[in-house]
């Protein structure tokens, strides 16, 4: 097969893929020209800017505590990404949340204060509803990022509690 035929075939297959399997931004549902990305440029910029603009508290040797997040929960596209990740089993969405989480971890400089990372467990009933524990996915990433051990099965949830969405 000569080069021009191969190139034409490659372009045709790409266009066919785009028509049959279009890729949309997981933050705002806009069409994405590149299937390698999960967020459009606008949502990615907004997500990173919202995370960077937060007022962060840093730990001290006396308190050994910190409060930070990847961004305000109600902000878009963070809210949509978290809902898709947590409630719709779209675990691949977490890839787009790693950079803001890494930014928060870097700003806080927590590595020297942390011995290990543990996930908040789900009750078996909620785990069966969701099919996975989003806290475990996040904890695995945080432990890897900080170079700390991940404590599995250390914490146990004994009784089912109300879903956070139902709490005012």
């Amino acid at each position: 097969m000569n080069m021009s035929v191969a190139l034409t075939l490659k372009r045709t297959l790409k266009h066919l893929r785009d028509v049959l399997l279009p890729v949309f931004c997981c933050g705002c549902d806009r069409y994405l020209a590149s299937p390698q990305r999960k967020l459009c440029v606008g949502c990615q910029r907004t997500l990173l800017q919202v995370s960077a603009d937060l007022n962060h508290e840093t730990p001290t040797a006396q308190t050994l505590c910190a409060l930070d997040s990847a961004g305000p929960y109600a902000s878009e596209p963070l809210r949509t990404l978290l809902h898709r990740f947590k409630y719709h089993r779209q675990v691949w969405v977490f890839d787009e949340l790693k950079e803001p989480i890494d930014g928060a971890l870097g700003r806080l400089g927590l590595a020297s204060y942390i011995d290990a990372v543990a996930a908040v467990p789900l009750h078996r009933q909620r785990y069966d509803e969701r099919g996975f524990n989003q806290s475990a996915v996040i904890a695995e990433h945080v432990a890897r990022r900080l170079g700390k051990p991940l404590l599995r099965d250390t914490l146990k949830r004994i009784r089912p509690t109300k879903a956070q969405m139902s709490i005012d």
Side-chain angles (χ1 to χ4, degrees), residues 111-158:
S112 63
Y113 295 104
I114 294 176
D115 295 320
V117 177
V120 176
L122 286 177
H123 187 269
R124 187 77 199 155
Q125 178 182 343
R126 182 123 333 113
Y127 183 88
D128 290 344
E129 290 170 10
R130 291 193 188 149
F132 77 109
N133 180 356
Q134 76 285 349
S135 175
V137 174
I138 296 168
E140 286 175 21
H141 174 76
V142 169
R144 195 175 319 109
R145 172 74 165 73
L146 296 177
K148 302 295 179 175
L150 177 64
L151 303 178
R152 298 180 190 275
D153 303 320
T154 302
L155 304 173
K156 299 282 184 209
R157 186 172 301 261
I158 297 171

Side-chain angles (χ1 to χ4, degrees), residues 2-118:
N2 70 32
M3 279 301 245
S4 66
V5 172
L7 188 56
T8 302
L9 182 59
K10 184 177 178 178
R11 285 182 187 149
T12 303
L13 290 175
K14 181 187 178 304
H15 290 301
L16 187 59
R17 181 204 64 209
D18 290 346
V19 169
L20 296 176
L21 302 168
V23 180
F24 297 93
C25 173
C26 57
C28 67
D29 290 325
R30 287 188 189 120
Y31 172 75
L32 294 174
S34 171
Q36 288 79 23
R37 300 295 315 164
K38 294 172 187 79
L39 281 180
C40 67
V41 173
C43 284
Q44 186 176 23
R45 186 179 304 122
T46 300
L47 184 63
L48 294 176
Q49 186 60 49
V50 164
S51 176
D53 288 347
L54 286 177
N55 184 11
H56 308 283
E57 295 181 27
T58 54
T60 65
Q62 292 79 27
T63 62
L64 295 181
C65 67
L67 174 63
D68 203 345
S69 67
Y73 179 73
S75 70
E76 291 296 347
L78 184 58
R79 184 176 188 278
T80 298
L81 293 174
L82 289 172
H83 278 247
R84 287 181 180 205
F85 172 55
K86 187 173 179 177
Y87 302 114
H88 301 287
R89 298 182 186 189
Q90 295 178 357
V91 181
W92 51 268
V93 170
F94 182 66
D95 289 343
E96 296 298 332
L97 297 170
K98 288 178 181 177
E99 191 172 349
I101 289 171
D102 291 350
L105 291 172
R107 283 188 301 271
L108 290 172
L110 290 176
S112 63
Y113 295 104
I114 294 176
D115 295 320
V117 177

